Amino acid sequence: MLRTRKSRREHYPGTWLPEPLVTEPTDQPEHQAVMADSVGLALLVVLETLTPAERLAFVLHDVFAVPFDQVATVIDRSPEAARQLASRARRRIQADAPKPDADVAVQRRVVDAFLAAARAGDFEGLLAVLDPDVVFRSDAGGAVPVLNRPPIVGAEAVAREALVFRGGVGQAQPAIVNGGPGFIIQRPGRPLLVAAFTVAGGRIAAIDVVANPEKTRGVFDPDRQSLSGNE
């Protein structure tokens, strides 16, 4: 299965992102913070850059608390090798995956400020809420050519990108995406767009946009005008 995924990824049009997990905003910020810390899109993207053995060792031990002697059996390595793989994966994740701020309400305010600045065409306002090294990733799976591109890095470049899509931002509906603040956009006859934000240190460190219909199918029910799976 992993070899098949690798082959498909090599022929994937544009940047690959995992399927988003979208829920409506709730009054349980602690639950949302735990979700963002464990399944945030920025973290999942970094996990995908690990080798299969590193990913298994890290997830089994660090997420599910499986002892290294059992992890070793799963990945067909010695317990010491399993420990080293998990340690290497942990260092990579700590270096590359921004850790979201614990207060989800603060994260939401930062994202709201970003959306307000984008709608108003306020370039300086966008720069004020973007981390200098912010990364913008988009996955359209070939369905939306303008979003089939390599990641965009840097506050000024991302701010310019936000201004290009300022019209669409006006249609944004707030949502919780992988435990963090985000939004969804649905237009008749056009694919759904899901955006996830990673807010770290009071600024936006990553923006992940998924517009691939294969990955957004089932997230939104146009007949009910609400998030699927929620009343």
Side-chain angles (χ1 to χ4, degrees):
M1 289 177 62
L2 289 169
R3 282 195 295 269
T4 300
R5 286 174 61 189
K6 184 175 185 297
S7 175
R8 290 177 180 172
R9 200 72 51 78
E10 289 173 349
H11 297 90
Y12 197 83
T15 302
W16 180 92
L17 291 173
E19 294 183 15
L21 175 62
V22 182
T23 56
E24 291 178 331
T26 71
D27 57 357
Q28 298 178 319
E30 297 85 0
H31 173 67
Q32 293 172 6
V34 170
M35 281 186 60
D37 201 33
S38 58
V39 297
L41 279 182
L43 171 62
L44 296 181
V45 169
V46 175
L47 279 176
E48 287 291 335
T49 67
L50 304 175
T51 67
E54 288 173 339
R55 187 162 56 246
L56 275 171
F58 173 80
V59 172
L60 288 175
H61 181 266
D62 285 44
V63 179
F64 294 104
V66 177
F68 280 120
D69 57 344
Q70 295 182 30
V71 174
T73 301
V74 174
I75 63 176
D76 195 25
R77 307 284 179 89
S78 69
E80 182 56 32
R83 186 186 302 275
Q84 292 177 358
L85 286 167
S87 177
R88 188 160 62 229
R90 195 179 305 114
R91 289 195 301 270
R92 177 77 173 273
I93 289 168
Q94 290 172 348
D96 295 346
K99 186 174 178 59
D101 291 341
D103 193 330
V104 177
V106 171
Q107 293 185 51
R108 182 78 257 174
R109 286 196 291 271
V110 173
V111 173
D112 288 345
F114 170 87
L115 294 175
R119 293 183 182 117
D122 182 0
F123 187 77
E124 294 301 323
L126 290 169
L127 292 181
V129 296
L130 292 172
D131 184 271
D133 298 318
V134 61
V135 57
F136 174 91
R137 292 177 289 252
S138 57
D139 177 349
V144 185
V146 70
L147 291 176
N148 291 328
R149 62 179 68 181
I152 299 172
V153 180
E156 291 192 2
V158 172
R160 286 193 292 269
E161 187 72 8
L163 294 180
V164 170
F165 292 98
R166 59 184 293 192
V169 169
Q171 306 298 318
Q173 303 175 43
I176 299 299
V177 183
N178 287 58
F183 64 80
I184 62 174
I185 296 176
Q186 172 72 35
R187 292 181 178 177
R190 300 185 65 179
L192 171 70
L193 180 149
V194 178
F197 292 78
T198 302
V199 179
R203 291 190 172 189
I204 296 171
I207 304 174
D208 294 299
V209 174
V210 181
N212 182 344
E214 296 297 323
K215 297 183 179 181
T216 58
R217 184 175 297 150
V219 168
F220 190 73
D221 184 343
D223 295 326
R224 288 167 47 205
Q225 293 296 303
S226 65
L227 297 176
S228 64
N230 294 279
E231 296 301 329

